Amino acid sequence: MFQGNIDLDTAIPVEATAIPDVLFERGLYWASGRSGVVNLVAAHKWFNLAALKGRADAISMRREVAAMMSDAEIATAQREARAWMTAH
């Protein structure tokens, strides 16, 4: 359990930094169901973004997740990744 303080005035959102490790971690979060829910579309999106930012192992994770998804789900994840890149 997290015990500490987050200073929201000085915190930098992930979108502003977009570092590959954080993007990869988001993919792991959704792929593993850490929140209690597995979301393969979200996992694929974040692994895709991490791969685009240079995280090589995100490519194999994205492929592994994609193997469990329908074509429509993959298309949705790709659209969401493109939208994120356009917005940030």
Side-chain angles (χ1 to χ4, degrees), residues 1-6:
M1 177 176 195
F2 174 77
Q3 297 201 1
N5 296 316
I6 297 175

Side-chain angles (χ1 to χ4, degrees), residues 7 19 23-25 30 39-43 45-46 51 60 71 87:
D7 184 352
I19 56 175
L23 300 173
F24 185 82
E25 180 62 31
W30 289 111
N39 184 332
L40 297 179
V41 171
K45 168 189 165 181
W46 294 112
S60 61
D71 290 342

Side-chain angles (χ1 to χ4, degrees), residues 10-88:
T10 60
I12 300 171
V14 171
E15 294 82 8
T17 58
I19 56 175
D21 293 344
V22 174
L23 300 173
F24 185 82
E25 180 62 31
R26 282 188 167 193
L28 288 176
Y29 177 83
W30 289 111
S32 67
R34 288 184 199 164
S35 66
V37 176
V38 172
N39 184 332
L40 297 179
V41 171
H44 189 284
K45 168 189 165 181
W46 294 112
F47 286 140
N48 195 20
L49 292 167
L52 288 170
K53 295 288 184 178
R55 180 83 188 238
D57 55 346
I59 297 168
S60 61
M61 293 300 291
R62 182 185 60 205
R63 284 186 191 135
E64 188 175 326
V65 168
M68 298 180 274
M69 298 169 67
S70 69
D71 290 342
E73 289 171 321
I74 293 169
T76 298
Q78 290 172 336
R79 275 192 304 275
E80 289 181 11
R82 279 192 300 274
W84 188 89
M85 289 294 290
T86 300
H88 302 96

